Amino acid sequence: MAIQQISVFIENKQGKLLNTVKAISCEGINIRAMSIADTQDFGILRMITSDHDRTLEILKEESIVSTTEVIAVKMEDKVGSLYEVMKILSDAGVNIEYMYAFTATESFGAYVIFRVDDVAQAQELLDKSGIPTLCEEDMRAL
Amino acid sequence: MRKYFQPEIETAPREEILKIQNEKIVKQVRHVYENVKYYRDLMDAKGVKPEDIKGVDDIKKLPFLSKADLREAYPYGLLGTDIKNCVRIQSTSGTTGKRVVAFYTQGDVDMWEDCTARAIVAAGGDEGDVCQVAYGYGLFTGGAGIHGGSHKVGCLTLPMSSGNTERQIQFMMDLNATILCCTPSYAAYIGETLAEKGYKPEDNKLKAGIFGAEPWTEEMRRDIEKNLGIKAYDIYGLTEISGPGVAFECEEQHGMHINEDHFYVEVIDPDTGEVLPEGSKGELVFTSLDKEAFPLLRYRTRDICVLSREKCSCGRTFIRMTKPMGRSDDMMIIRGVNVFPSQIETVLLNEGYSPNYQIVVDRVNNSDTIDVFVELAPEQFSDIVSRHQAREKKLESAMRTMLGIGPKVHLVAPKSIARSEGKAVRVIDNRKLHD
């Protein structure tokens, strides 16, 4: 039940990030979750948006984009919940490339996006442990 | 103190030098025609026979050689003698993956070392000097050539090779080095490091420096002279012809005397190949008059210079050349190493990249920097930072292997490299190397 994340190559030049965000905003697309990785030469903007396909279409005109499957895992508001999830993945040898947190409304709660090397295995492990994750429909319903 | 290493030839009357050149060229053309099939074919194609060359005035009838020929004939195609007579190779960059390999007999090495010995004596060197050779040793001609000349002069030779500045300074100060030989940018760097350590110019025993293998300006010369408290001399050479010492500066510091008893020089129009009169700006072409193993005739250096027969107050009668004022090809000299954009292109293609790149060369704290910007193809994009860094590292390593120096690689977005009239600008050189 992995969800689609879009990654965008952002040149390290003034206005590049702004233009990318503007393009999405003009199309009425909502950014649900995002993170930026920056290097000396460029940044990588990773987002989960309200309309993945449309976002992809718009941004590939301007830059390089790619789609990656990630898992949005619900975090209980208690000490140790992130550790618990990570331990499940780690014990099974699933490697975490990166992760970032996001939230929406108070009732929605907190989620952490996991980018892992083996999505299918990670999803299966989390399902088996009864840890809630989001699917595409959940994201669209937000 | 001696003034010349070989006074009888260095100050010989013009007619005598011409006589030597005329005798040598007749012999040399016959040697090449008989032993180098590659060049014999070129001569035959041009309809020139060895007997057509009766003296240096006939050299203009001979075909040119260029780096492209060296690549074509790699590795043995221009060898003029049996391998069993050769004692050494030296090597420099080719235009793509294949390097230039030059062969030497013992006689060739002796001749070359005579030339560098002349340069050392012209810079005031004699057997009482301590000569610190901080040119790279190895395939590069810089270390080996000056090292041999320093022995011939009788200097105490410090075979330092380049790099390890701490150790350079330690030996320089503890062993009282009097002559420093290296690239001008490294000399400037050593000067700065000495100052940082609190040494004043008068604290070292250096009196002269012999600097070459890369372009440098008069302004840089004055800076080095001031910071090290020395006189700085220029030296010129290229692996294809022998190495450093093809030409060298004297106390006048006004142009480099070409060792005309070994190398015949012409200046040509780089577009038409026509020989230009003395005093014209054009491309330098050298003919090796007596090399046995790698006897190149009319080799196009791509260096743009002016020659002068004006009498020199030092007493030497050899013709003088200006510092190279530029290149008639796209070769760059970076940290003393010859680099062609085509070498970088070869690496990119080998590694599966598109040949959309830009090279930016600069000089920071007297050291050359080279940055290569490479356009990423959409399918090479990853959302994971470390994969991009791994790509950059891999390219850097492949380029270091190809070039001999390590550039910094930057992956950039597709179509982000500026194009003028649809053609990408391949090289931006921000160094100010020519006055």
Side-chain angles (χ1 to χ4, degrees), chain A residues 5 7-9 11 13 37-42 44 46 63-66 68 97-98 115, chain B residues 376-379 381-389 392 408-414 416:
Chain A
Q5 172 195 269
S7 304
V8 193
F9 185 100
E11 271 185 88
K13 281 185 192 150
D38 61 313
T39 73
Q40 217 178 336
D41 296 321
F42 55 85
I44 301 170
R46 301 133 174 175
S63 188
I64 327 182
V65 290
S66 71
T68 318
E97 301 283 2
Y98 56 82
R115 160 69 155 108
Chain B
L376 203 58
E379 63 275 15
F381 176 55
S382 163
D383 59 316
I384 298 168
V385 171
S386 61
R387 299 219 177 132
H388 291 278
Q389 286 165 337
E392 290 180 340
K408 178 94 191 72
V409 168
H410 309 269
L411 295 172
V412 297
S416 66

Side-chain angles (χ1 to χ4, degrees), chain B residues 104 112 116 141-142 145 236-247 263 291:
Chain B
Y104 301 75
W112 176 23
T116 52
T141 52
Y236 175 88
L238 58 167
T239 309
E240 294 89 328
I241 297 303
S242 67
V246 170
F263 313 110
K291 268 176 74 184

Side-chain angles (χ1 to χ4, degrees), chain A residues 102-137:
Chain A
F102 81 104
T103 184
T105 60
E106 206 170 320
S107 58
F108 178 77
Y111 282 79
V112 168
I113 304 278
F114 283 87
R115 160 69 155 108
V116 294
D117 57 356
D118 189 338
V119 186
Q121 194 195 354
Q123 187 69 55
E124 197 188 317
L125 286 164
L126 295 169
D127 289 348
K128 234 189 280 176
S129 310
I131 294 171
T133 56
L134 296 179
C135 63
E136 281 291 312
E137 288 70 40

Side-chain angles (χ1 to χ4, degrees), chain B residues 185-212:
Chain B
S185 52
Y186 195 47
Y189 182 73
I190 290 175
E192 272 171 18
T193 312
L194 280 171
E196 274 166 23
K197 290 181 177 298
Y199 290 112
K200 292 188 206 59
E202 59 272 24
D203 292 339
N204 69 64
K205 294 283 185 295
L206 291 175
K207 61 179 186 187
I210 301 173
F211 306 130

